[in-house]
Amino acid sequence: MGIHDGHRARLRDCFRKDGLAGFDGIRALELLLQYAIPRRDTNPIAHALLDRFGSLQAVFDASEQELCEVEGIGPAAAVLIRLVPQLARKSAVDKAAELQYIQSTADAKDYLNPRFLFEQDEIALLLCLDSQKRVIQCVELSRGVVNAVNVSVRRILEIALKARASSVILAHNHPDGQMRSSREDDAVTRQVYDSLRAVGIRLTDHLIFTRGGVFSYQDSGAMQILGFY
């Protein structure tokens, strides 16, 4: 038995008993790293990660290259760390998919929010609904810069028409945390609204997701202010 085996076993036992309820960020990382670093004390490495990145969230946001710059972190540990938030997002997306009808802005937020969890890229999504507001499909439109949506209106139309959607909801995220629409957002919304309206499809809402909350064009009155309805 190694010098650290007793401590490792105690950490695992604590997790089995109460989950992560009694764990701070250091102990949580320490436990996780045990499964990629079997023969070293992972406590100093967990400290080093939090010292470098500042928070547990920032650790999980870090790239593989950034993680490997921390002493004690190799490719296997970096992949394990990056796997955690992506598994969490995939699980949350699967759970949200159980919501088959989008009857309100709250429903749309609940359905779409998991798709933006832990995202550092700016992405845009199109949620297509039938006449009963039942979900037909949710499609990623772009990744990187949402302004690119304005050159993808043809794709939005193709997706909505192929799905035979009666209405759609446009959504994107602001990774920088700015929970309000920009002039560019307004312009994209206008272009998408006008293009869809011409073929008899309604743009119900445009949602902007941040880590601090969600901005809704519909609930904020922006759709009416911009003269959409």
Side-chain angles (χ1 to χ4, degrees), residues 150-164:
N150 62 13
V151 298
S152 303
V153 172
R154 178 178 295 179
R155 182 165 180 247
I156 291 173
L157 287 170
E158 288 174 351
I159 291 168
L161 288 168
K162 186 176 181 179
R164 298 183 178 180

Side-chain angles (χ1 to χ4, degrees), residues 122-191:
E122 196 163 353
I123 63 174
L125 304 174
L126 187 71
L127 179 60
C128 297
L129 309 174
D130 68 12
S131 60
Q132 303 301 312
K133 297 187 178 181
R134 179 169 49 197
V135 174
I136 301 172
Q137 63 179 353
C138 184
V139 180
E140 183 174 308
L141 296 169
S142 67
R143 178 175 291 269
V145 180
V146 167
N147 288 350
V149 174
N150 62 13
V151 298
S152 303
V153 172
R154 178 178 295 179
R155 182 165 180 247
I156 291 173
L157 287 170
E158 288 174 351
I159 291 168
L161 288 168
K162 186 176 181 179
R164 298 183 178 180
S166 293
S167 63
V168 302
I169 295 172
L170 184 63
H172 78 278
N173 61 329
H174 283 174
D176 61 3
Q178 177 179 301
M179 198 176 71
R180 61 180 184 275
S181 62
S182 65
R183 290 182 180 179
E184 291 80 9
D185 294 330
D186 291 346
V188 167
T189 307
R190 166 59 70 186
Q191 189 174 5

